Amino acid sequence: MDAAAELLFYVNGRQVIEKNVDPQTMLLPYLRKKLRLTGTKYGCGSGGCGACTVMVSRYNPITKKIRHYPANACLTPICSLYGAAVTTVEGIGSTKARIHPVQERIAKCHGTQCGFCTPGMVMSIYTLLRNHLEPSLDELTDALGGNLCRCTGYRPIIDTCKTFCTTSGCCQSKENGICCLDQGINELPEFEEGNKTSTKLFSEEEFLPLDPTQELIFPPELMIMAEKQPQRTRIFGGERMTWISPVTLKELTEAKAKYPQAPVVMGNTSVGPEMKFKGIFYPVIISPDGIVELTVMNYASNELTLGAGLSLAQVKDILADLILKLPEEKTQMYQALLKHLRTLAGSQIRNMASLGGHIVSRHLDSDLNPLLVVGNCTLNLLSKEGKRQIPLNEQFLRKCPTADLKPEEILVSVNIPCSKKWEFVSAFRQAQRPQNALAIVNSGMRVLFGEGDGIIRELSISYGGVGPTTICAKNSCQKLIGRPWNEEMLDVACRLVLDEVSLPGSAPGGKVEFKRTLIISFLFKFYLEVSQILKKMDPVHYPGPADKYESALEDLHSRHHWSTLKYQNVDAKQPPQDPVGHPIMHLSGIKHATGEAIYCDDIPAVDPELFLTFVTSSRAHAKIVSIDLSEALSLPGVVDIVTEEHLQGVNSFCLLTKPEKLLGTEEVFCVGQLVCAVIADSEIQAKQAAKRVKIVYQDLEPLILTIEEAIQHNSFFDQEKKLEYGNVDEAFKVVDQILEGEIHIGGQEHFYMETQSILAVPKGEDQEMDIYVSTQFPKYTQDIVASTLKLPANKVMCHVKRVGGGFGGKSIKTGILAAITAFAANKHSRAVRCILERGEDMLITGGRHPYLGKYRAGFMNDGRILALDVEHYSNGGASLDESLLVIEMGLLKMENAYKFPNLRCRGWVCRTNLPSNTALRGFGFPQAGFITEFCITEVAAKCGLSPEKVRSINMYKEIDQTPYKQEINAKNLMLCWKECMAMSSYSLRKVAVEKFNLENYWKKKGLAIVPLKFPIGLGSVPMGQAAALVHIYLDGSVLVTHGGIEMGQGVHTKMLQVASRELRMPISKVHLRGTSTETVPNTSISGASLVADLNGLAIKDACQTLLKRLEPIISKNPGGTWKEWAQAAFDESISLSATGYFRGYESNMNWETGEGCPFKYFVYGAACTEVEIDCLTGAHKTIRTDIIMDAGCSINPALDIGQIEGAFVQGMGLYTIEELNYSPQGVLYTRGPNQYKIPTICDIPTELHISLLPPSQNSNTLYSSKGLGESALFLGCSVLFAIRDAVNAARRERGLVGQWELSSPLTPEKIRMACEDKFTKMIPRDEPGSYVPWNVPI
């Protein structure tokens, strides 16, 4: 074996040779830091988000074929790339050379907003097109299953995919025998105005054609090398780790004999995360490369043999082919495996992970092992001693020494027998979302009957997710042999299995009762599936399941994605070069797609640069007894550790009312509180040192985590906030009925794709400091840094080019992180970079406030609510942050679209031992509005009326007054409501849903429609100030700067449209460089849907100032060019630069009197959603959503519709699947995409229709436009109410009276447990207090 081999591979067609390679290096940092290819992004580091997707191509000298596959660069060790060609987003196209059609189309279809996820999306689509030139839409959406996007809501990305598909824009469903594109049930009613509306946001005619001859070829040198070069084991040795790559089976067994404890790594999808997140270290790794025996595929004598080195994606393709060739009865097992392979992880992981790795890892939630174990599979092992076969059975999965691989053995291949006649195999799984999510419970089941007698001869049942590994119900199966396949057998089976597969109340992962229910729900599904097949085979002897039960076997409604959009065309009189009102592509769209858009961490290293990482508290409420830094400081590369002592006098900063602490070294109030900061030469060194900081804690009482505990301990920030209108107490005396209740809403993580990022660069003279930071609030960052460095603000400049998603989470906490980073940079006179890892970011930064709403409603029998008394409690966390503003905004907006003549609403911010919660899109309204909507649906149930009837009867009509006595004209609210009812064909579909529910016992549909009134304003004039700076240069070009931050909402694009209109010049002449406190001082925070409003008015002001100055010049030469006018003005000494200013919208609120005029205007809207649920598993599918929004006169319909969709899907996540889990000690469990699930491309409504209301009222906003950034998020609750409608239908059918306890998010667990049936009654329940639960509901 050679000692140090040379690593040779290609990146974007260029050869890379590494002589001294460190085996611990992953491809992502190598691309970004070493090769300076920053298009590939860091999103999570665990292969769960797809931001780092690249294409890997390998040549097989035996088959003479090249395999292209997508891979997560964050999990790919560079040592595994010997002889491979890597293609990154920069390699397929750039603005300097030519852009690739995928890049062009995703930008022009408006599929980029913040753009951080775009390079990964582009590479996933590109790789698929390299393998299939004309893919189906299913193949395309499947290829994007491993790519997350937080901004767009995916619809425009699906539109991009459709341009590469062969199918038409039709939804592919002949519902009621009518195509959706013909007139019929799905027809959208037209607005009256005829051709004034438009339905397209881009024109496909101008797209570049996809030309496969233009792609990068596979490097011929790598082909020659693979064909000719004598293959021998490669060894790469680093300081701590040795990487061994054997190329023959013999060498592999020798290496394993020499290093029996070394793991065998193929895709690194299991060992990689173990080393990264669990701190496990392996000094030697064995990674076989190109060993033919490990990739065999052989079907002979009724058995399929698959090489352990095949990737899961290859296994999927092999099985799909085989199923087509074999008779159906032989393919039972293969079909079940294929079913699970389709949803297992994302495309990238499936292409990297190997079959052998998946089996041998024996993860408790493995999707394939439960099937392989029931299928009597065998494992073919090899060592220097020779070959051996062992069964893949329960003992192997439990790692019993007698049944396991010996340390020196390797798994070569797996034998999977085909099924026999009268043998049936099924696979089941339920996860938080359908794709790219680990199963909560999964199962494999197999039964073999005697020839045509229906008597059980063999039975195997196994489960994943319910124990430390895959569990087999062996004894239960044994007892059932010899029984006939009938209801009686099923009943016995359920009891036996529940008894054998027992789960303690404190089981890791929680959801214990849900898991117990799934165990027997899956068994019931298996019983029905087999009964149905038996009925087909022999209808005389096997009557099969009752017709109404057959719905249990059908998949949830699945059709091709179909969407329509509608917005107003611009006025025919508008000059052609005026871009306002046109769907102009995002200014940075193409750069997002080529990877040329620069984010904070893409800025090249400032030599010599240091890296900072934080040490955070591991206790929720404790006194710090001691901190020992000595070991950490002694490590190589460690420069310093900043603690509270260094920050004497500057360790806190006052934002609103209460000072926020930067570092805490005496007492900590939450897990994740910043304790100290390690500064080192590299990121790896800083992270290693941070782990060696030894902190001794002494726990303190009380530990308050939940709102209920805070109320019990009277732990609140500040006094209650109160809003009162009318006479509530008197009104309660005259109503027909009174209803009391409460509702709980969980929190939400921002999950911006770009984590918190800061680069602090000392300028070297006059103590000047430049801060490059991903923030929504540069002024605050400037202020807090200046305060920490004891400098005037004019020495600290904060620069923001763009932000990779913010949603409210990049303001207060970002300032604190930046202050500590700048302090370190100032102290050492060196640039310091701080980039949080995803897990750190989720732990430290907090998110949306969990809420508890208590209400008392007094109403008449006709549904009119006359009195409402509501209490809001928000979980503020350990420090105040913006929580008080959130609760105030929640109170001011709580009535949503309804006029309650007598209303009292009070709010409290609870002080708890959790990381401080902060602003998140919607700012209190998604919780407050939801509490009101929930109350409305409860009142409707009590009156025996439909929810839409009660909503409609209580809605604002025309001119009215809000609870804080501001006048409101709700004409457009009623228009939106009626339009939504019409465009969704609500009444027709309600009848169809009821019919469906009558015919299907185990599947139910639900329909809900929700109105929206979202007030826009900041509640104070000074917070709404904005300024701009506009320069005209002598060549007639214009530079615009303003105080708004571009974070995906397209504000810079809108600002160019404003400047272009005001200066009457083509948009191509106007440029914008980014936001900086150097050009525009004292900027407001970018948030509250007002960034374009305020800054646009400032730019308008600056442009008008310039035009006024230049009027005499232009009037002398009206036909001149801007170049001539600028030169003439210069010659006459007229200034060509102007600042613009807007003082802020009028706004006031007096909390003493409860009166004011806090808002400038209201955004109205409505959404109607239809869902289908599976009552046995709790799964749901959003079938269709119709949204109508009153956007005023849209400045850019493409951007505005993008904001509506993105917010809606984020809201859908909030109310259905996004669930934060905390331990009873206050530790956050959900710290990345593997535990915290945001919606993926498969979760969005199959059918989505969005319409902008024609503008009717002219307002004195910017061109009568409205800010749409946040409002539509709330409409996501239409999904929750539709699910509730479906659950209610199930409960009514099962004879369950009374309301069930609803809370948000309405996860599969809550849906399943609410659909009570014989299975939920059968499971054992634990007495509260008899065990310590895994998690605490917060």
Side-chain angles (χ1 to χ4, degrees), residues 988-1008:
L988 263 178
R989 282 170 55 217
K990 190 161 183 173
V991 174
V993 162
E994 283 164 6
K995 180 173 180 284
F996 176 92
N997 289 343
L998 274 175
E999 293 164 3
N1000 296 275
Y1001 189 81
W1002 296 110
K1003 295 273 194 311
K1004 294 291 174 201
K1005 284 186 178 181
L1007 191 63

PDB file of all heavy atoms in Angstrom, residues 988-1008:
ATOM      1  N   LEU A 988     -70.247  24.790  -4.499  1.00  0.00           N
ATOM      2  CA  LEU A 988     -70.212  23.555  -5.297  1.00  0.00           C
ATOM      3  C   LEU A 988     -69.291  22.526  -4.654  1.00  0.00           C
ATOM      4  O   LEU A 988     -69.624  21.353  -4.506  1.00  0.00           O
ATOM      5  CB  LEU A 988     -69.643  23.875  -6.688  1.00  0.00           C
ATOM      6  CG  LEU A 988     -70.599  24.129  -7.842  1.00  0.00           C
ATOM      7  CD1 LEU A 988     -69.805  24.480  -9.094  1.00  0.00           C
ATOM      8  CD2 LEU A 988     -71.452  22.884  -8.108  1.00  0.00           C
ATOM      9  N   ARG A 989     -68.110  23.020  -4.282  1.00  0.00           N
ATOM     10  CA  ARG A 989     -67.098  22.093  -3.761  1.00  0.00           C
ATOM     11  C   ARG A 989     -67.437  21.614  -2.359  1.00  0.00           C
ATOM     12  O   ARG A 989     -67.044  20.526  -1.956  1.00  0.00           O
ATOM     13  CB  ARG A 989     -65.702  22.737  -3.814  1.00  0.00           C
ATOM     14  CG  ARG A 989     -65.149  22.687  -5.238  1.00  0.00           C
ATOM     15  CD  ARG A 989     -63.907  23.492  -5.464  1.00  0.00           C
ATOM     16  NE  ARG A 989     -62.844  23.147  -4.551  1.00  0.00           N
ATOM     17  CZ  ARG A 989     -61.995  24.029  -4.036  1.00  0.00           C
ATOM     18  NH1 ARG A 989     -62.103  25.305  -4.354  1.00  0.00           N
ATOM     19  NH2 ARG A 989     -61.045  23.646  -3.220  1.00  0.00           N
ATOM     20  N   LYS A 990     -68.164  22.431  -1.620  1.00  0.00           N
ATOM     21  CA  LYS A 990     -68.570  22.001  -0.279  1.00  0.00           C
ATOM     22  C   LYS A 990     -69.481  20.776  -0.383  1.00  0.00           C
ATOM     23  O   LYS A 990     -69.353  19.810   0.378  1.00  0.00           O
ATOM     24  CB  LYS A 990     -69.281  23.155   0.444  1.00  0.00           C
ATOM     25  CG  LYS A 990     -69.481  22.833   1.895  1.00  0.00           C
ATOM     26  CD  LYS A 990     -69.748  24.036   2.748  1.00  0.00           C
ATOM     27  CE  LYS A 990     -69.853  23.532   4.192  1.00  0.00           C
ATOM     28  NZ  LYS A 990     -69.954  24.515   5.166  1.00  0.00           N
ATOM     29  N   VAL A 991     -70.360  20.799  -1.373  1.00  0.00           N
ATOM     30  CA  VAL A 991     -71.257  19.656  -1.607  1.00  0.00           C
ATOM     31  C   VAL A 991     -70.437  18.430  -2.007  1.00  0.00           C
ATOM     32  O   VAL A 991     -70.652  17.317  -1.515  1.00  0.00           O
ATOM     33  CB  VAL A 991     -72.297  20.006  -2.713  1.00  0.00           C
ATOM     34  CG1 VAL A 991     -73.135  18.790  -3.078  1.00  0.00           C
ATOM     35  CG2 VAL A 991     -73.172  21.163  -2.258  1.00  0.00           C
ATOM     36  N   ALA A 992     -69.439  18.657  -2.889  1.00  0.00           N
ATOM     37  CA  ALA A 992     -68.585  17.550  -3.352  1.00  0.00           C
ATOM     38  C   ALA A 992     -67.808  16.938  -2.186  1.00  0.00           C
ATOM     39  O   ALA A 992     -67.650  15.718  -2.098  1.00  0.00           O
ATOM     40  CB  ALA A 992     -67.630  18.060  -4.421  1.00  0.00           C
ATOM     41  N   VAL A 993     -67.331  17.804  -1.274  1.00  0.00           N
ATOM     42  CA  VAL A 993     -66.574  17.327  -0.108  1.00  0.00           C
ATOM     43  C   VAL A 993     -67.479  16.478   0.791  1.00  0.00           C
ATOM     44  O   VAL A 993     -67.088  15.400   1.260  1.00  0.00           O
ATOM     45  CB  VAL A 993     -65.980  18.526   0.678  1.00  0.00           C
ATOM     46  CG1 VAL A 993     -65.570  18.126   2.091  1.00  0.00           C
ATOM     47  CG2 VAL A 993     -64.787  19.113  -0.075  1.00  0.00           C
ATOM     48  N   GLU A 994     -68.711  16.950   0.999  1.00  0.00           N
ATOM     49  CA  GLU A 994     -69.640  16.194   1.852  1.00  0.00           C
ATOM     50  C   GLU A 994     -69.966  14.834   1.239  1.00  0.00           C
ATOM     51  O   GLU A 994     -70.045  13.823   1.944  1.00  0.00           O
ATOM     52  CB  GLU A 994     -70.924  17.012   2.086  1.00  0.00           C
ATOM     53  CG  GLU A 994     -70.704  18.117   3.122  1.00  0.00           C
ATOM     54  CD  GLU A 994     -71.796  19.188   3.120  1.00  0.00           C
ATOM     55  OE1 GLU A 994     -72.792  19.016   2.391  1.00  0.00           O
ATOM     56  OE2 GLU A 994     -71.632  20.180   3.847  1.00  0.00           O
ATOM     57  N   LYS A 995     -70.092  14.802  -0.078  1.00  0.00           N
ATOM     58  CA  LYS A 995     -70.375  13.538  -0.782  1.00  0.00           C
ATOM     59  C   LYS A 995     -69.194  12.587  -0.596  1.00  0.00           C
ATOM     60  O   LYS A 995     -69.353  11.405  -0.281  1.00  0.00           O
ATOM     61  CB  LYS A 995     -70.618  13.836  -2.265  1.00  0.00           C
ATOM     62  CG  LYS A 995     -70.931  12.614  -3.120  1.00  0.00           C
ATOM     63  CD  LYS A 995     -71.325  13.048  -4.545  1.00  0.00           C
ATOM     64  CE  LYS A 995     -71.658  11.846  -5.432  1.00  0.00           C
ATOM     65  NZ  LYS A 995     -70.470  11.114  -5.884  1.00  0.00           N
ATOM     66  N   PHE A 996     -67.987  13.120  -0.786  1.00  0.00           N
ATOM     67  CA  PHE A 996     -66.775  12.297  -0.628  1.00  0.00           C
ATOM     68  C   PHE A 996     -66.721  11.709   0.782  1.00  0.00           C
ATOM     69  O   PHE A 996     -66.431  10.528   0.981  1.00  0.00           O
ATOM     70  CB  PHE A 996     -65.540  13.164  -0.898  1.00  0.00           C
ATOM     71  CG  PHE A 996     -64.222  12.457  -0.666  1.00  0.00           C
ATOM     72  CD1 PHE A 996     -63.572  11.805  -1.709  1.00  0.00           C
ATOM     73  CD2 PHE A 996     -63.615  12.448   0.591  1.00  0.00           C
ATOM     74  CE1 PHE A 996     -62.363  11.143  -1.503  1.00  0.00           C
ATOM     75  CE2 PHE A 996     -62.407  11.787   0.810  1.00  0.00           C
ATOM     76  CZ  PHE A 996     -61.776  11.135  -0.249  1.00  0.00           C
ATOM     77  N   ASN A 997     -67.026  12.538   1.766  1.00  0.00           N
ATOM     78  CA  ASN A 997     -66.927  12.093   3.159  1.00  0.00           C
ATOM     79  C   ASN A 997     -67.958  11.020   3.502  1.00  0.00           C
ATOM     80  O   ASN A 997     -67.713  10.163   4.351  1.00  0.00           O
ATOM     81  CB  ASN A 997     -67.050  13.286   4.112  1.00  0.00           C
ATOM     82  CG  ASN A 997     -65.811  14.172   4.044  1.00  0.00           C
ATOM     83  OD1 ASN A 997     -64.769  13.745   3.545  1.00  0.00           O
ATOM     84  ND2 ASN A 997     -65.917  15.401   4.525  1.00  0.00           N
ATOM     85  N   LEU A 998     -69.091  11.069   2.850  1.00  0.00           N
ATOM     86  CA  LEU A 998     -70.106  10.031   3.077  1.00  0.00           C
ATOM     87  C   LEU A 998     -69.631   8.681   2.555  1.00  0.00           C
ATOM     88  O   LEU A 998     -69.936   7.641   3.121  1.00  0.00           O
ATOM     89  CB  LEU A 998     -71.410  10.408   2.349  1.00  0.00           C
ATOM     90  CG  LEU A 998     -72.376  11.324   3.110  1.00  0.00           C
ATOM     91  CD1 LEU A 998     -73.546  11.695   2.217  1.00  0.00           C
ATOM     92  CD2 LEU A 998     -72.883  10.619   4.385  1.00  0.00           C
ATOM     93  N   GLU A 999     -68.877   8.733   1.453  1.00  0.00           N
ATOM     94  CA  GLU A 999     -68.483   7.491   0.767  1.00  0.00           C
ATOM     95  C   GLU A 999     -67.182   6.895   1.294  1.00  0.00           C
ATOM     96  O   GLU A 999     -66.828   5.777   0.949  1.00  0.00           O
ATOM     97  CB  GLU A 999     -68.344   7.765  -0.739  1.00  0.00           C
ATOM     98  CG  GLU A 999     -69.681   8.089  -1.406  1.00  0.00           C
ATOM     99  CD  GLU A 999     -69.506   8.730  -2.770  1.00  0.00           C
ATOM    100  OE1 GLU A 999     -68.352   8.872  -3.229  1.00  0.00           O
ATOM    101  OE2 GLU A 999     -70.526   9.083  -3.385  1.00  0.00           O
ATOM    102  N   ASN A1000     -66.411   7.683   2.065  1.00  0.00           N
ATOM    103  CA  ASN A1000     -65.092   7.209   2.496  1.00  0.00           C
ATOM    104  C   ASN A1000     -64.968   7.272   4.005  1.00  0.00           C
ATOM    105  O   ASN A1000     -65.077   8.346   4.597  1.00  0.00           O
ATOM    106  CB  ASN A1000     -63.992   8.072   1.857  1.00  0.00           C
ATOM    107  CG  ASN A1000     -63.986   7.933   0.348  1.00  0.00           C
ATOM    108  OD1 ASN A1000     -63.390   7.014  -0.194  1.00  0.00           O
ATOM    109  ND2 ASN A1000     -64.664   8.848  -0.333  1.00  0.00           N
ATOM    110  N   TYR A1001     -64.712   6.137   4.623  1.00  0.00           N
ATOM    111  CA  TYR A1001     -64.657   6.098   6.089  1.00  0.00           C
ATOM    112  C   TYR A1001     -63.285   6.514   6.613  1.00  0.00           C
ATOM    113  O   TYR A1001     -63.181   7.223   7.605  1.00  0.00           O
ATOM    114  CB  TYR A1001     -64.993   4.684   6.564  1.00  0.00           C
ATOM    115  CG  TYR A1001     -65.184   4.595   8.074  1.00  0.00           C
ATOM    116  CD1 TYR A1001     -66.397   4.975   8.652  1.00  0.00           C
ATOM    117  CD2 TYR A1001     -64.154   4.166   8.905  1.00  0.00           C
ATOM    118  CE1 TYR A1001     -66.583   4.901  10.031  1.00  0.00           C
ATOM    119  CE2 TYR A1001     -64.330   4.087  10.279  1.00  0.00           C
ATOM    120  CZ  TYR A1001     -65.545   4.464  10.841  1.00  0.00           C
ATOM    121  OH  TYR A1001     -65.724   4.403  12.202  1.00  0.00           O
ATOM    122  N   TRP A1002     -62.223   6.086   5.943  1.00  0.00           N
ATOM    123  CA  TRP A1002     -60.869   6.319   6.491  1.00  0.00           C
ATOM    124  C   TRP A1002     -60.148   7.513   5.868  1.00  0.00           C
ATOM    125  O   TRP A1002     -59.057   7.861   6.285  1.00  0.00           O
ATOM    126  CB  TRP A1002     -60.015   5.060   6.332  1.00  0.00           C
ATOM    127  CG  TRP A1002     -60.539   3.913   7.128  1.00  0.00           C
ATOM    128  CD1 TRP A1002     -61.124   2.789   6.640  1.00  0.00           C
ATOM    129  CD2 TRP A1002     -60.563   3.789   8.557  1.00  0.00           C
ATOM    130  NE1 TRP A1002     -61.509   1.960   7.665  1.00  0.00           N
ATOM    131  CE2 TRP A1002     -61.171   2.547   8.858  1.00  0.00           C
ATOM    132  CE3 TRP A1002     -60.126   4.597   9.623  1.00  0.00           C
ATOM    133  CZ2 TRP A1002     -61.355   2.086  10.165  1.00  0.00           C
ATOM    134  CZ3 TRP A1002     -60.309   4.137  10.912  1.00  0.00           C
ATOM    135  CH2 TRP A1002     -60.919   2.902  11.185  1.00  0.00           C
ATOM    136  N   LYS A1003     -60.723   8.077   4.822  1.00  0.00           N
ATOM    137  CA  LYS A1003     -60.163   9.309   4.252  1.00  0.00           C
ATOM    138  C   LYS A1003     -61.249  10.371   4.354  1.00  0.00           C
ATOM    139  O   LYS A1003     -62.419  10.077   4.107  1.00  0.00           O
ATOM    140  CB  LYS A1003     -59.806   9.125   2.774  1.00  0.00           C
ATOM    141  CG  LYS A1003     -58.693   8.136   2.495  1.00  0.00           C
ATOM    142  CD  LYS A1003     -57.321   8.793   2.569  1.00  0.00           C
ATOM    143  CE  LYS A1003     -56.216   7.952   1.983  1.00  0.00           C
ATOM    144  NZ  LYS A1003     -56.154   6.577   2.421  1.00  0.00           N
ATOM    145  N   LYS A1004     -60.849  11.578   4.708  1.00  0.00           N
ATOM    146  CA  LYS A1004     -61.845  12.651   4.779  1.00  0.00           C
ATOM    147  C   LYS A1004     -61.287  13.907   4.121  1.00  0.00           C
ATOM    148  O   LYS A1004     -60.079  14.170   4.178  1.00  0.00           O
ATOM    149  CB  LYS A1004     -62.180  12.986   6.242  1.00  0.00           C
ATOM    150  CG  LYS A1004     -62.885  11.870   6.992  1.00  0.00           C
ATOM    151  CD  LYS A1004     -64.292  11.631   6.489  1.00  0.00           C
ATOM    152  CE  LYS A1004     -64.913  10.413   7.149  1.00  0.00           C
ATOM    153  NZ  LYS A1004     -66.011   9.857   6.381  1.00  0.00           N
ATOM    154  N   LYS A1005     -62.195  14.671   3.527  1.00  0.00           N
ATOM    155  CA  LYS A1005     -61.787  15.961   2.970  1.00  0.00           C
ATOM    156  C   LYS A1005     -62.361  17.071   3.839  1.00  0.00           C
ATOM    157  O   LYS A1005     -63.386  16.882   4.512  1.00  0.00           O
ATOM    158  CB  LYS A1005     -62.291  16.117   1.538  1.00  0.00           C
ATOM    159  CG  LYS A1005     -61.486  15.311   0.528  1.00  0.00           C
ATOM    160  CD  LYS A1005     -61.934  15.599  -0.901  1.00  0.00           C
ATOM    161  CE  LYS A1005     -61.081  14.814  -1.895  1.00  0.00           C
ATOM    162  NZ  LYS A1005     -61.479  15.094  -3.280  1.00  0.00           N
ATOM    163  N   GLY A1006     -61.698  18.224   3.789  1.00  0.00           N
ATOM    164  CA  GLY A1006     -62.189  19.387   4.528  1.00  0.00           C
ATOM    165  C   GLY A1006     -62.006  20.621   3.673  1.00  0.00           C
ATOM    166  O   GLY A1006     -61.119  20.681   2.814  1.00  0.00           O
ATOM    167  N   LEU A1007     -62.853  21.621   3.905  1.00  0.00           N
ATOM    168  CA  LEU A1007     -62.801  22.861   3.133  1.00  0.00           C
ATOM    169  C   LEU A1007     -62.957  24.018   4.102  1.00  0.00           C
ATOM    170  O   LEU A1007     -63.786  23.954   5.016  1.00  0.00           O
ATOM    171  CB  LEU A1007     -63.961  22.841   2.119  1.00  0.00           C
ATOM    172  CG  LEU A1007     -64.011  23.889   1.023  1.00  0.00           C
ATOM    173  CD1 LEU A1007     -62.804  23.768   0.099  1.00  0.00           C
ATOM    174  CD2 LEU A1007     -65.285  23.732   0.197  1.00  0.00           C
ATOM    175  N   ALA A1008     -62.131  25.045   3.938  1.00  0.00           N
ATOM    176  CA  ALA A1008     -62.266  26.210   4.827  1.00  0.00           C
ATOM    177  C   ALA A1008     -61.926  27.479   4.054  1.00  0.00           C
ATOM    178  O   ALA A1008     -61.081  27.465   3.153  1.00  0.00           O
ATOM    179  CB  ALA A1008     -61.324  26.067   6.024  1.00  0.00           C
TER     180      ALA A1008
END
